[in-house]
Amino acid sequence: MINISVKYDVLNYASILNTCARQLNASVKSDTISLSGAVADGYIKVFSLPNGLEILIAECTLNEDVTVHRTKNANRFFVLRLHEIGNGDNIMVHTGLKKARHIYDKAGVTLSNAQDDFSVHFTKGVNIKILFILFDANWLQQHFNINRNNQLLKEYFDDYAKGLGYEKLDGEYARLMNLIIQKTSHPFSELYLLNRAMLLIERFFTRIHQRLLYTQTGHKLTRDDVVKLSLVEQELLKDLSKMPPTIAELASQAGMSSSKLKNNFKALYGMPVYKYYLYHKIVLAKEMLLSGEYAVKNVGLNLGYKNLSHFAAAFKKEMGVLPGELLNS
């Protein structure tokens, strides 16, 4: 078994990459560790972005059990972590925060605090896809006006200590994560990566804020309701190429009546269930079209539209233009 120990002494992933390289008996070239052999096959790569964000990407298949341990640091660093784990069990995570042990889903999103110990164990044979975004308290205050004593962070880390401070990696999170991973050679890579990383951070804090808002303003939604609705939302957006689950199926998952689900979902997300689903489907279609990798027909078919005129009409209703007009604008 391989043990990797990392300490966030500095807000710099290049330094951390060098630490990992030494412990893996590997070398760093162009801010990348290429892995092949006894430990793993794949790579670890880091990026330092212009506004102070640090990004680490890892894609690999493990040939040994690996435990990664991050020792706590007095400085206030945060890591937004997105992960997809294939061909293995759920991840066992230990954090010094109230000595909690969590089993995370194979695909999830969490925010951790570098002031706490953190370790994660991966078993031999698993496929790992991970995106880390590193920033400090000053950066969070400057860009999102969230200070270190903010109630939002307090509530989140209270939930985290109870094993509730994570979200499943839904379709929108996965889309943005994969855009970062797949486009590291984009001609405007720094700007491109910065934009997508900011969108991920914004989405995470917006969702946490929504939960807090509806549990503190006298709204009928309890925190338990909000957590259940979050799981419903993730299930709804899990695969935008397929027909969405029925209201009855979603209500059963949430342990609510169909009417309660519809009312509470609209209260929390600002849209009825299926309008919310369609909106995100069309947003994905727009991203696919703007990537230049898909023709209009391919986008429609990939998103489950058998009738392309229906796709065009749905797209225009949400975006104000036809798919072809978007490409020609």
Side-chain angles (χ1 to χ4, degrees):
M1 184 177 76
I2 305 298
N3 287 286
I4 300 173
S5 181
V6 173
K7 187 170 183 178
Y8 280 27
D9 288 323
V10 292
L11 194 65
N12 185 312
Y13 265 149
S15 222
I16 293 169
L17 191 69
N18 286 321
T19 299
C20 292
R22 287 194 298 272
Q23 296 181 39
L24 290 170
N25 196 25
S27 58
V28 177
K29 184 177 181 180
S30 300
D31 290 328
T32 302
I33 299 175
S34 295
L35 300 170
S36 178
V39 179
D41 295 304
Y43 72 92
I44 306 171
K45 187 173 181 63
V46 301
F47 298 88
S48 297
L49 300 181
N51 73 343
L53 284 182
E54 296 277 328
I55 290 178
L56 182 147
I57 297 167
E59 285 192 289
C60 56
T61 300
L62 297 182
N63 300 321
E64 293 282 351
D65 285 6
V66 173
T67 297
V68 180
H69 178 66
R70 186 193 71 210
T71 55
K72 64 183 178 181
N73 187 281
N75 295 313
R76 189 76 159 173
F77 297 159
F78 299 100
V79 180
L80 184 64
R81 182 176 65 254
L82 297 89
H83 67 262
E84 281 188 286
I85 308 299
N87 194 33
D89 297 329
N90 290 346
I91 311 167
M92 177 59 73
V93 173
H94 176 270
T95 172
L97 190 63
K98 297 188 179 180
K99 303 298 181 185
R101 286 169 64 84
H102 309 302
I103 297 177
Y104 287 164
D105 285 336
K106 292 181 181 179
V109 184
T110 57
L111 180 73
S112 63
N113 181 352
Q115 289 183 319
D116 295 299
D117 284 325
F118 175 89
S119 64
V120 57
H121 179 74
F122 300 105
T123 55
K124 177 181 177 179
V126 301
N127 303 315
I128 298 173
K129 181 191 292 186
I130 292 177
L131 169 65
F132 290 169
I133 305 175
L134 175 66
F135 48 91
D136 66 12
N138 291 332
W139 186 95
L140 194 58
Q141 169 72 50
Q142 178 183 352
H143 293 277
F144 285 86
N145 198 29
I146 298 175
N147 63 45
R148 65 184 66 215
N149 299 315
N150 188 278
Q151 185 69 14
L152 184 70
L153 289 177
K154 181 180 181 302
E155 292 282 347
Y156 173 78
F157 284 112
D158 283 348
D159 284 346
Y160 185 84
K162 301 170 187 173
L164 300 174
Y166 74 96
E167 297 194 302
K168 290 188 176 181
L169 190 81
D170 64 17
E172 182 65 7
Y173 275 130
R175 182 181 70 85
L176 291 169
M177 175 184 178
N178 288 326
L179 284 174
I180 289 176
I181 291 173
Q182 295 166 5
K183 296 290 186 178
T184 55
S185 59
H186 191 277
F188 304 104
S189 58
E190 282 194 348
L191 182 60
Y192 187 95
L193 296 177
L194 177 60
N195 174 267
R196 273 62 184 177
M198 292 290 282
L199 287 174
L200 280 170
I201 296 170
E202 178 187 359
R203 185 169 199 260
F204 179 83
F205 281 108
T206 297
R207 288 166 66 92
I208 299 304
H209 174 70
Q210 287 173 331
R211 294 183 187 182
L212 180 61
L213 179 67
Y214 282 96
T215 56
Q216 291 190 340
T217 58
H219 197 279
K220 292 181 181 179
L221 291 183
T222 65
R223 178 168 295 181
D224 186 55
D225 287 334
V226 173
V227 170
K228 289 178 178 178
L229 288 168
S230 175
L231 295 176
V232 165
E233 189 256 5
Q234 291 161 16
E235 181 66 23
L236 186 67
L237 301 184
K238 183 168 67 175
D239 188 346
L240 293 169
S241 68
K242 297 180 179 178
M243 291 293 292
T246 66
I247 294 293
E249 289 169 339
L250 294 172
S252 176
Q253 177 185 341
M256 302 177 182
S257 68
S258 294
S259 59
K260 181 177 180 180
L261 171 70
K262 289 190 287 187
N263 291 335
N264 286 357
F265 190 95
K266 185 175 180 180
L268 182 59
Y269 292 104
M271 297 181 192
V273 173
Y274 290 135
K275 181 172 176 57
Y276 188 86
Y277 166 84
L278 180 60
Y279 171 77
H280 283 278
K281 192 182 187 86
I282 298 303
V283 168
L284 176 57
K286 180 180 178 181
E287 189 76 42
M288 292 172 70
L289 288 168
L290 292 177
S291 74
E293 298 175 4
Y294 302 90
V296 172
K297 179 180 179 180
N298 297 129
V299 172
L301 292 175
N302 286 344
L303 292 180
Y305 285 94
K306 295 180 181 179
N307 187 319
L308 293 182
S309 64
H310 291 170
F311 167 58
F315 191 94
K316 184 170 184 178
K317 185 175 180 180
E318 291 294 338
M319 297 298 167
V321 295
L322 290 169
E325 293 173 342
L326 177 73
L327 293 178
N328 295 326
S329 60

